[in-house]
Amino acid sequence: MIITKHHEQFMDKALEQAQKAFDAGEVPIGAVVINQEGIIIGAAYNRVEIQKTQTAHAELLALTIAAQKMGDWRLKGCTLYVTLEPCAMCLAAIELSRVQTIVFGSDSPLFGYSKKIDQFLKPAKMTVNVVSGIKQKECSDLLQKFFKQQRN
C-alpha cells in the first residue's frame, strides 16, 4: 500500500481526470488506480452522458483500464483514488476487483456507499480499506462549480 503522504499526489491525478469530465460537460468525477509500486495503471473520468450509459462511472472505467493493463481482473494490492465517494455499484465492483484500498475526496450525500452500506454490505465483510477526505475541499469545490454552472 502507498504511504499516506502520497495520497494527495495521487488525488491530484484524479482531480485532473475530474477536470476533463468538467470540460466535457460530465459530472466532474475522476479516478486513478495505482499498483503496489505506485505506478498509475488506470485513469478515467465520468463518461455517463458521452457514452449514454449509467455504468460509465470514473471508477468502473479506471478499473477496466487497470485490469486490461495488468492482464487480470484481480487488482490485488492496488489502490483506487476517486474524487467522490463511490456509489454502491462502484463499491461492489471495487470489492470484486480485489482492490486493497479506496481513497476518496468528497462525501456523496445522495449516492455514496456509506449511506447505503447496511443495504448492500455488512461492514464486517468489507475487505477494502477506505481513506476519506483527501483533498476534500478541491473535490467538493469542483463539483459545486459544475452544478452551479448547470443551474445557470
Side-chain angles (χ1 to χ4, degrees), residues 12-139:
D12 282 338
K13 297 297 184 186
L15 278 162
E16 288 174 14
Q17 292 295 315
Q19 184 63 52
K20 289 179 184 181
F22 183 94
D23 295 343
E26 292 277 355
V27 175
I29 302 169
V32 296
V33 178
I34 62 164
N35 65 15
Q36 291 174 323
E37 290 77 38
I39 298 168
I40 295 173
I41 58 171
Y45 58 90
N46 256 19
R47 297 179 58 86
V48 171
E49 299 299 332
I50 293 167
Q51 293 184 3
K52 306 274 186 255
T53 178
Q54 63 277 33
T55 61
H57 287 199
E59 302 95 309
L60 298 181
L61 297 172
L63 290 172
T64 299
I65 293 165
Q68 290 170 347
K69 189 159 192 168
M70 296 271 298
D72 191 349
W73 60 269
R74 295 170 197 87
L75 300 174
K76 290 183 179 181
C78 290
T79 300
L80 172 74
Y81 288 84
V82 61
T83 56
L84 185 67
E85 177 185 8
C87 68
M89 173 181 69
C90 290
L91 181 63
I94 293 162
E95 283 274 331
L96 289 170
S97 298
R98 316 298 201 268
V99 166
Q100 181 176 341
T101 304
I102 305 166
V103 180
F104 69 85
S106 182
D107 291 339
S108 177
L110 293 176
F111 299 109
Y113 79 88
S114 66
K115 309 303 183 263
K116 302 173 191 288
I117 199 161
D118 291 333
Q119 296 172 17
F120 296 99
L121 296 170
K122 298 293 181 208
K125 289 187 178 183
M126 264 185 77
T127 59
V128 65
N129 301 311
V130 178
V131 177
S132 63
I134 304 298
K135 295 216 166 230
Q136 190 263 336
K137 181 176 178 0
E138 293 90 333
C139 295

Side-chain angles (χ1 to χ4, degrees), residues 21-28 49 141-152:
F22 183 94
D23 295 343
E26 292 277 355
V27 175
E49 299 299 332
D141 287 351
L142 187 58
L143 285 160
Q144 289 173 0
K145 180 180 173 185
F146 175 80
F147 287 112
K148 183 178 180 181
Q149 180 179 302
Q150 294 297 307
R151 286 189 293 270
N152 291 335

